[in-house]
């Protein structure tokens, strides 16, 4: 039958707040989510005994909430109130500043703390999977520091997300061009450029990854558009002999519910956006689950191990 890519239908931001946790867990129980990424510095990190069946990855978080390292040890990362100070682009700019060496030292402390915390939460995992909030691990200084912590602490990491989304599946569907948000296209360009600085170190690490989808549709992973690009991702995965990861954010926060950091208005707006409900509706849709199976059956050369 040839190579059988696994289709990972993944949810980020587990552990952020309890209400978001509950909505993500509902997508695991009633939908096709087959993995979650856990914020160990969230207000409600998942305990291994609470939901042991959900495959979990570390959602490295350097931009929201409080660090696990005492704030006086990571002053470049935090505001005066001890909360993370930067956005993705703020952290990227700081990584090219004259404070680069000191930033690297502080990043090492916090990345190490979060990896150790994740291992304590999930001690039965033989290999870890790692990604990051807002994809900050794609910043070259963060990426190389993460690999150095993994190596220094002899941590077995089997999977590292590479959110450098291929553009070809989207170019093959001209009818979707008007639906692409310019900000998402820009994010994807930036992430693909940064990936070029990380490729060699990643190859040398021996860690695996998957073809990724979740940037250009970010904020609204709706079933209609996914149905059009999904066959192209299938063919690409078969050709490259790689798995597929489709990223969703189904953990909405409703008005009046707590945020991890209410002072970060951009983050809060994203959590409140109707697109999060769209993501949840998609992964809980029976027709989407049927689509995963039917497309894999129809596409020549595609034989997928879907939803194990």
């Amino acid at each position: 039958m040839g190579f059988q890519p696994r289709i990972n239908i993944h949810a980020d931001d587990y552990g952020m707040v309890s209400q978001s946790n509950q909505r993500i867990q509902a997508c695991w129980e009633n939908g096709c989510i087959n993995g979650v990424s856990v914020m160990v510095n969230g207000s409600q990190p998942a305990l291994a005994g609470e939901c042991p069946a959900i495959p979990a990855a570390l959602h490295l978080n350097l931009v929201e909430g409080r660090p696990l390292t005492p704030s006086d040890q990571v002053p470049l990362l935090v505001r005066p109130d001890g909360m993370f100070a930067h956005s993705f682009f703020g952290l990227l700019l700081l990584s090219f500043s004259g404070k680069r060496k000191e930033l690297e030292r502080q990043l090492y402390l916090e990345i190490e703390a979060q990896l150790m915390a994740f291992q304590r939460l999930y001690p039965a995992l033989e290999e870890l999977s790692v990604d990051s909030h807002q994809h900050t691990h794609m910043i070259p200084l963060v990426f190389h520091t993460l690999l150095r912590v993994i190596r220094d602490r002899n941590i077995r990491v089997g999977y590292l997300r590479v959110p450098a989304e291929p553009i070809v599946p989207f170019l093959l569907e001209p009818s979707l061009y008007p639906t692409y948000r310019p900000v998402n296209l820009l994010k994807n360009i930036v992430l693909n450029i940064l990936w070029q600085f990380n490729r060699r170190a990643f190859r040398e690490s021996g860690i695996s990854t998957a073809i990724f989808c979740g940037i250009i549709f970010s904020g609204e992973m709706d079933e209609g558009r996914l149905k059009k690009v999904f066959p192209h991702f299938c063919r690409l995965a078969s050709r490259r002999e790689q798995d597929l990861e489709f990223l969703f954010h189904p953990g909405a926060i409703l008005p009046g519910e707590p945020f991890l950091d209410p002072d970060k208005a951009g983050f809060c707006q994203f959590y409140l956006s109707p697109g999060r409900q769209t993501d949840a509706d998609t992964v809980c849709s029976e027709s989407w689950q049927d689509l995963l199976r039917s497309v894999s059956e129809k596409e020549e050369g595609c034989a997928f191990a879907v939803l194990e």
Side-chain angles (χ1 to χ4, degrees):
M1 293 180 65
F3 181 72
Q4 291 185 276
R6 174 182 168 84
I7 301 175
N8 297 301
I9 309 298
H10 204 83
D12 274 5
D13 301 342
Y14 198 91
M16 183 170 57
V17 295
S18 61
Q19 291 86 348
S20 179
N21 275 9
Q22 292 167 13
R23 294 177 183 115
I24 292 171
Q25 191 153 348
C27 292
W28 156 258
E29 294 170 350
N30 305 312
C32 60
I33 291 294
N34 56 10
V36 297
S37 290
V38 179
M39 284 183 176
V40 292
N41 75 320
S43 66
Q44 296 289 328
L47 297 175
E50 179 183 329
C51 50
I54 306 181
L58 169 63
H59 200 46
L60 182 67
N61 180 11
L62 301 171
V63 292
E64 188 176 12
R66 294 186 181 277
L68 298 186
T69 309
S71 59
D72 61 351
Q73 295 182 30
V74 289
L76 289 178
L77 298 178
V78 299
R79 306 189 305 242
D81 63 359
M83 304 287 271
F84 279 124
H86 304 291
S87 64
F88 175 96
F89 285 102
L91 199 58
L92 176 63
L93 291 174
L94 187 60
S95 74
F96 290 112
S97 73
K99 299 177 180 178
R100 177 183 176 87
K101 289 301 295 182
E102 178 58 21
L103 176 62
E104 182 180 12
R105 187 190 70 82
Q106 295 181 24
L107 285 169
Y108 189 102
L109 293 175
E110 182 58 21
I111 292 171
E112 180 182 44
Q114 293 193 27
L115 279 164
M116 296 299 101
F118 185 80
Q119 286 189 310
R120 289 192 295 271
L121 283 172
Y122 297 94
L125 289 179
E126 295 182 359
E127 286 189 333
L128 305 191
S129 296
V130 180
D131 52 64
S132 68
H133 197 36
Q134 299 288 303
H135 311 300
T136 52
H137 73 290
M138 292 292 280
I139 296 170
L141 184 63
V142 178
F143 192 89
H144 289 263
T145 303
L146 170 61
L147 292 183
R148 187 157 63 90
V149 175
I150 290 169
R151 183 177 61 251
D152 290 352
R153 295 303 298 258
N154 196 29
I155 299 169
R156 293 185 61 185
V157 174
Y159 179 84
L160 181 63
R161 177 187 293 164
V162 176
E165 192 170 37
I167 193 64
V168 170
F170 302 96
L171 293 177
L172 292 173
E173 290 295 334
S175 66
L176 295 181
Y177 290 0
T179 74
Y180 300 150
R181 297 178 183 177
V183 66
N184 288 345
L185 294 171
L186 176 60
K187 287 177 185 176
N188 195 42
I189 290 169
V190 170
L191 289 168
N192 271 278
I193 292 172
L194 294 177
W195 171 232
Q196 302 311 308
F197 293 93
N198 301 327
R199 289 175 67 102
R200 181 175 178 179
F202 179 75
R203 286 197 302 267
E204 292 173 351
S205 74
I207 300 171
S208 68
T209 192
I211 295 171
F212 178 83
C213 177
I215 300 295
I216 291 178
F217 288 169
S218 179
E220 194 167 4
M221 291 281 283
D222 59 282
E223 187 176 342
R225 293 190 299 169
L226 281 168
K227 182 177 181 179
K228 292 185 176 183
V229 301
F230 187 74
H232 307 308
F233 274 98
C234 291
R235 286 190 287 270
L236 184 61
S238 289
R239 188 165 64 249
R240 293 187 183 177
E241 296 192 347
Q242 282 187 280
D243 291 339
L244 283 166
E245 180 180 6
F246 288 84
L247 173 62
F248 293 82
H249 293 87
I253 296 177
L254 302 182
E257 295 178 348
F259 297 104
L260 187 58
D261 184 353
D263 290 333
K264 287 209 163 179
F267 286 77
C268 298
Q269 183 179 3
F270 181 50
Y271 302 140
L272 291 167
S273 70
R276 289 213 154 198
Q277 185 58 52
T278 299
D279 283 21
D281 291 343
T282 298
V283 298
C284 289
S285 164
E286 288 193 14
S287 61
W288 165 245
Q289 295 175 57
D290 290 341
L291 170 67
L292 293 176
R293 298 182 177 91
S294 65
V295 170
S296 67
E297 291 169 359
K298 287 189 297 184
E299 291 302 316
E300 184 179 355
C302 292
F304 285 85
V306 182
L307 305 179
E308 294 178 355

